[in-house]
Amino acid sequence: MPSFRMHLRAHGMVAMVFKTLDDSQHHQNLSLCTAALMYILSRDRLNMDLDRASLDLMIRLLELEQDASSAKLLNEKDMNKIKEKIRRLCETVHNKHLDLENITTGHLAMETLLSLTSKRAGDWFKEELRLLGGLDHIVDKVKECVDHLSRDEDEEKLVASLWGAERCLRVLESVTVHNPENQSYLIAYKDSQLIVSSAKALQHCEELIQQYNRAENSICLPVSKPLPQQNVANHVGKAVEDCMRAIIGVLLNLTNDNEWGSTKTGEQDGLIGTAMNCVLQVPKYLPQEQRFDIRVLGLGLLINLVEYSARNRHCLVNMETSCSFDSSFCSGEGDDSLRIAGQVHAVQALVQLFLERERAAQLAESKTDELIKDAPATQHDKSGEWQETSGEIQWVSTEKTDGTEEKHKKEEDDEELDLNKALQHAGKHMEDCIVASYTALLLGCLCQESPINVTTVREYLPEGDFSIMTEMLKKFLSFMNLTCAVGTTGQKSISRVIEYLEHC
């Protein structure tokens, strides 16, 4: 009963109960029941009321192996009876990710841990999770899920592996935000196992997103495989997209202002190329409304990778890639002399992405200005008039003919349509500005401390002039100063790049 769980919390008894159960891992049935109790309490959309001792117990339960030697402590019939009771209890709460056929102490404890975030459990949770060994289990779980990605042919198993990896990565993303200790620990753990697993997972996702293409609800599958139903493809495609965002989220935290993390991540075979594809190619396999997110995440990761690592800068500058899928420059729209087939230098593709987005932002801005300028003036309310009667002023409605009402309604509809158009153009303008700014920042980071790279970038800019990039970055910096706390590392990086480019 939810009311009883509320009662336990209100009287501060949750921590007391788990303190009493501190030795439960030594008893097979008691450990299973304790893990189930933790799981049920974690289902409520409230704080977990967790303390260090309870978290310590949860992690010890997580470590329990369900081996044959422990089975003899309790006969199978009694154990199955307990499992059935727990199964029925779990069916009464939200249990989307729980495998009801696999009710074990370890599984229940892991599901409880993954449902916790620093937001629900408090900031102390970030540090204690590392000190008690919880991060180790989550990273190992990520590796297990990623290893399955290359083996799972069945769609259901594939989605389960993607979901498993995504949920673990979301917790890791949460506990590494503004936490250098956890970042360093995860970079070092088992010789950068998390970074290795994340790089592999991102490459698998890049392949899967082409196979389970959700753009315009079309399905692109190899001829050798049977065409699944469209809803299955959408289901898998959505899981792949969510997993990609979670992977890049963790890598962004591990590489942000961190030379060690950037170097380790950049060393992973093919990762920089995969990140470039997230910017230039992957968006075409996503629904229209998801393309901006993945492109900005990819650009953010590339900026982190090249900002402090000369090796990564060298790798990116010497890379060849395909142009952005939506680039008119590469598809040959307009002037035939601009048409490019096959691979181009990565810098050329990035400069072209910047130029097109900067141009699109200017166009969207001018259209929005026109819509606002042409907006009809506010008209006086003609639905009635103020009249003085018996010493009081009252609003008296005037009777309307059907024609007048229809005209008034049409005017309102036209105004609403104009407002929606203006908002759409403003939204498009903002997206184009952000993509152009991130691309300019990436190109600026590539130029730092490298006259050769400056020459390479200048070669592809109109008249070799950096001012178009610095103007865009100055606008972006002004926007960040309005919306973020002054003095954050992002603003410092942009200011540094602007100053460097102005002296080029």
Side-chain angles (χ1 to χ4, degrees):
M1 292 171 64
S3 58
F4 181 67
R5 298 201 291 274
M6 186 70 81
H7 171 79
L8 283 176
R9 285 193 166 91
H11 292 275
M13 295 181 71
V14 173
M16 289 166 61
V17 169
F18 289 130
K19 186 178 179 183
T20 310
L21 293 166
D22 187 57
D23 62 345
S24 60
Q25 81 268 23
H26 300 303
H27 308 274
Q28 189 194 14
N29 58 339
L30 190 57
S31 65
L32 184 62
C33 294
T34 304
L37 180 58
M38 286 181 164
Y39 178 76
I40 296 296
L41 287 167
S42 74
R43 298 299 87 197
D44 294 330
R45 294 182 181 277
L46 294 164
N47 288 344
M48 181 64 179
D49 294 332
L50 203 65
D51 60 3
R52 188 184 192 280
S54 304
L55 182 62
D56 183 28
L57 174 59
M58 187 191 302
I59 291 166
R60 278 184 279 130
L61 293 175
L62 195 71
E63 292 167 350
L64 284 184
E65 290 294 329
Q66 303 299 318
D67 60 356
S69 61
S70 64
K72 63 187 176 189
L73 298 175
L74 197 72
N75 69 57
E76 198 173 332
K77 186 180 175 185
D78 289 346
M79 198 65 189
N80 287 338
K81 198 185 293 182
I82 292 169
K83 284 186 178 182
E84 186 54 41
K85 183 178 274 192
I86 291 170
R87 195 174 286 116
R88 285 201 304 273
L89 188 59
C90 290
E91 283 171 353
T92 66
V93 294
H94 175 69
N95 61 12
K96 180 183 175 184
H97 300 287
L98 190 68
D99 181 1
L100 292 171
E101 300 306 312
N102 179 32
I103 299 289
T104 65
T105 303
H107 181 48
L108 288 165
M110 177 58 90
E111 288 302 312
T112 307
L113 184 60
L114 292 181
S115 72
L116 296 171
T117 61
S118 53
K119 188 176 178 182
R120 286 186 67 199
D123 279 341
W124 65 270
F125 175 75
K126 292 183 180 184
E127 187 175 355
E128 292 300 336
L129 195 60
R130 179 184 78 250
L131 296 175
L132 295 170
L135 291 181
D136 304 12
H137 291 283
I138 298 175
V139 174
D140 291 342
K141 183 71 176 174
V142 171
K143 183 179 186 300
E144 182 189 316
C145 292
V146 172
D147 289 344
H148 284 143
L149 286 180
S150 55
R151 299 198 298 265
D152 289 336
E153 296 294 326
D154 177 71
E155 269 93 1
E156 280 188 23
K157 288 181 180 174
L158 190 60
V159 169
S161 296
L162 289 163
W163 271 353
E166 185 220 339
R167 293 175 65 233
C168 292
L169 290 162
R170 290 284 177 214
V171 175
L172 294 173
E173 184 183 357
S174 166
V175 299
T176 49
V177 174
H178 307 309
N179 193 303
E181 292 84 4
N182 281 354
Q183 291 167 11
S184 299
Y185 182 82
L186 289 171
I187 294 166
Y189 177 69
K190 287 190 179 176
D191 197 19
S192 305
Q193 180 179 291
L194 177 60
I195 291 174
V196 173
S197 297
S198 298
K200 283 182 185 172
L202 195 58
Q203 286 164 356
H204 282 308
C205 287
E206 188 197 351
E207 294 166 11
L208 289 167
I209 206 74
Q210 298 172 47
Q211 189 173 330
Y212 298 98
N213 177 359
R214 292 209 310 148
E216 310 300 335
N217 287 325
S218 60
I219 305 169
C220 299
L221 287 175
V223 180
S224 59
K225 288 197 172 186
L227 194 72
Q229 294 177 352
Q230 193 160 326
N231 60 350
V232 174
N234 275 337
H235 188 49
V236 180
K238 173 78 166 56
V240 175
E241 291 163 26
D242 291 344
C243 192
M244 283 186 95
R245 283 194 289 270
I247 294 163
I248 299 175
V250 169
L251 291 177
L252 279 170
N253 287 349
L254 297 184
T255 55
N256 185 41
D257 275 332
N258 192 320
E259 186 178 350
W260 182 29
S262 301
T263 305
K264 277 287 180 187
T265 304
E267 283 173 1
Q268 304 309 310
D269 190 32
L271 180 81
I272 294 178
T274 304
M276 275 293 284
N277 286 341
C278 287
V279 175
L280 302 172
Q281 299 304 319
V282 167
K284 73 179 171 187
Y285 303 111
L286 307 183
Q288 194 71 39
E289 66 276 10
Q290 303 291 340
R291 293 177 177 179
F292 170 72
D293 283 359
I294 200 73
R295 183 165 260 168
V296 169
L297 284 168
L299 283 166
L301 180 57
L302 286 169
I303 290 165
N304 283 0
L305 289 174
V306 303
E307 188 172 9
Y308 296 110
S309 171
R311 179 198 173 279
N312 291 345
R313 287 197 288 274
H314 178 79
C315 180
L316 184 55
V317 167
N318 290 288
M319 182 182 289
E320 290 209 334
T321 184
S322 301
C323 276
S324 175
F325 77 97
D326 53 358
S327 170
S328 59
F329 175 75
C330 297
S331 60
E333 291 175 21
D335 189 349
D336 282 347
S337 65
L338 292 178
R339 185 168 297 166
I340 294 178
Q343 300 287 91
V344 297
H345 282 109
V347 170
Q348 185 177 2
L350 289 168
V351 169
Q352 196 53 38
L353 176 66
F354 165 75
L355 293 174
E356 292 210 340
R357 291 300 161 151
E358 191 270 342
R359 207 156 37 222
Q362 284 187 347
L363 188 64
E365 189 172 352
S366 62
K367 282 186 179 177
T368 307
D369 288 345
E370 282 172 23
L371 285 166
I372 293 169
K373 194 165 51 180
D374 297 342
T378 307
Q379 298 198 359
H380 295 296
D381 190 347
K382 295 177 183 175
S383 62
E385 58 184 13
W386 292 102
Q387 292 182 1
E388 187 175 346
T389 54
S390 306
E392 292 182 352
I393 295 176
Q394 292 181 327
W395 179 262
V396 179
S397 298
T398 54
E399 290 185 12
K400 291 183 181 178
T401 62
D402 289 346
T404 310
E405 281 187 6
E406 282 179 20
K407 185 183 175 186
H408 185 64
K409 188 173 187 306
K410 186 176 184 303
E411 285 173 359
E412 282 185 352
D413 289 347
D414 288 345
E415 283 179 27
E416 192 175 334
L417 194 65
D418 288 340
L419 178 62
N420 285 336
K421 279 182 183 173
L423 287 172
Q424 282 172 4
H425 282 294
K428 179 75 170 68
H429 169 253
M430 178 57 76
E431 288 189 3
D432 287 328
C433 280
I434 290 174
V435 171
S437 302
Y438 268 67
T439 311
L441 183 57
L442 174 57
L443 289 164
C445 289
L446 287 173
C447 290
Q448 286 183 110
E449 300 172 20
S450 176
I452 296 172
N453 291 355
V454 171
T455 307
T456 307
V457 174
R458 195 191 295 277
E459 186 184 326
Y460 299 113
L461 283 168
E463 300 174 13
D465 187 5
F466 281 107
S467 63
I468 190 172
M469 280 170 54
T470 55
E471 284 306 309
M472 180 57 77
L473 285 173
K474 282 177 182 176
K475 285 183 188 175
F476 190 48
L477 183 60
S478 299
F479 173 71
M480 284 190 74
N481 286 336
L482 285 171
T483 55
C484 308
V486 177
T488 60
T489 52
Q491 287 149 296
K492 289 174 186 171
S493 298
I494 296 168
S495 299
R496 191 171 63 243
V497 167
I498 290 170
E499 189 179 345
Y500 185 83
L501 292 179
E502 284 182 332
H503 291 89
C504 281

